[in-house]
């Protein structure tokens, strides 16, 4: 794929992420995404095939879950809270997926898959006992925070600084990840 094709694809993906984030999967249309990207709808189809494939590309997300095995156990919760906040803030693909997961089964499955495939193995290295349950509880905190801060825009949560959120979330993630230390 040439440079111009890569640029066109990137513009389409940016428009799709924005439209899916604002409208959700069901309400977003290929026509609207094409209009946002200032291109013909046939170009969206050319590069992505259909709405489902476009959504899959727009919602690709790597948690880049860090290796926590070398950290003192007492710092695991804060490190996770800090990492998740950074990932939510720097890449809107997870917000697109979160918003869409509330109304679309495929998006919900994709979100579940991301946390199962990426969070669980990393957490199992730190806490092999009951890692699936621990990962599930960590997901409840991080998804709940993201839903309230980035999707619902709950004023008290939006008003908190990144550091305040990390300070509040860290102890809870700590307990879920490794127990009291």
């Amino acid at each position: 794929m040439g440079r111009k094709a890569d640029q066109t694809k990137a513009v389409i993906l940016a428009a799709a992420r924005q439209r899916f984030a604002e409208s959700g999967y069901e309400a977003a249309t290929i026509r609207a995404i094409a209009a946002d990207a200032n291109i013909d709808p046939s170009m969206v189809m050319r590069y992505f095939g259909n709405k489902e494939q476009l959504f899959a590309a727009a919602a690709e997300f790597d948690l880049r879950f860090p290796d926590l095995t070398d950290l003192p156990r007492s710092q695991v919760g804060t490190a996770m809270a800090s990492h998740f906040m950074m990932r939510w803030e720097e890449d809107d693909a997870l917000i697109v997926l979160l918003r869409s997961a509330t109304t679309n089964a495929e998006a919900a499955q994709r979100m579940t898959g991301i946390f199962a495939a990426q969070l669980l193995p990393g957490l199992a290295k730190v806490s092999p006992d009951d890692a699936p349950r621990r990962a599930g509880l960590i997901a409840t905190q991080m998804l709940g925070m993201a839903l309230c801060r980035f999707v619902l825009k709950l004023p008290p949560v939006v008003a908190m600084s990144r550091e305040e959120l990390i300070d509040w979330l860290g102890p809870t993630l700590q307990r879920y990840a490794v127990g009291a230390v």
Side-chain angles (χ1 to χ4, degrees):
M1 195 176 293
R3 181 183 201 129
K4 186 165 171 52
D6 286 343
Q7 290 172 337
T8 302
K9 197 171 180 177
V11 167
I12 294 168
L13 276 176
R17 284 187 177 119
Q18 185 69 32
R19 178 61 63 170
F20 286 130
E22 289 173 1
S23 305
Y25 178 84
E26 300 300 329
T29 66
I30 294 292
R31 285 188 189 280
I33 291 166
D36 294 344
N38 201 27
I39 61 166
D40 188 86
S42 66
M43 294 299 287
V44 176
M45 304 305 281
R46 176 180 172 199
Y47 287 110
F48 295 98
N50 58 39
K51 182 176 167 180
E52 293 78 22
Q53 291 171 323
L54 175 60
F55 178 77
E60 264 189 41
F61 190 81
D62 182 358
L63 289 176
R64 295 195 313 242
F65 193 74
D67 183 352
L68 302 171
T69 55
D70 291 335
L71 274 181
R73 286 181 71 82
S74 63
Q75 295 176 16
V76 169
T78 298
M80 280 194 300
S82 179
H83 177 76
F84 278 114
M85 288 301 301
M86 182 242 342
R87 293 301 292 133
W88 283 109
E89 292 170 347
E90 75 179 17
D91 191 336
D92 64 349
L94 201 54
I95 295 165
V96 168
L97 190 55
L98 179 61
R99 180 181 299 276
S100 297
T102 61
T103 59
N104 180 272
E106 181 180 327
Q109 185 60 41
R110 183 174 284 277
M111 180 69 79
T112 300
I114 287 171
F115 276 83
Q118 297 180 38
L119 173 61
L120 181 57
L123 186 61
K125 291 179 187 176
V126 176
S127 290
D129 65 307
D130 216 5
R133 184 176 294 181
R134 291 176 185 279
L137 290 169
I138 290 166
T140 68
Q141 294 303 298
M142 297 318 302
L143 291 171
M145 180 283 304
L147 181 69
C148 291
R149 185 173 176 99
F150 300 110
V151 177
L152 300 175
K153 299 186 188 302
L154 193 63
V157 179
V158 171
M160 294 176 79
S161 71
R162 182 177 193 273
E163 291 72 29
E164 286 176 299
L165 278 168
I166 291 168
D167 288 346
W168 279 88
L169 292 168
T172 300
L173 297 184
Q174 178 71 28
R175 189 175 83 243
Y176 289 164
V178 298
V181 178

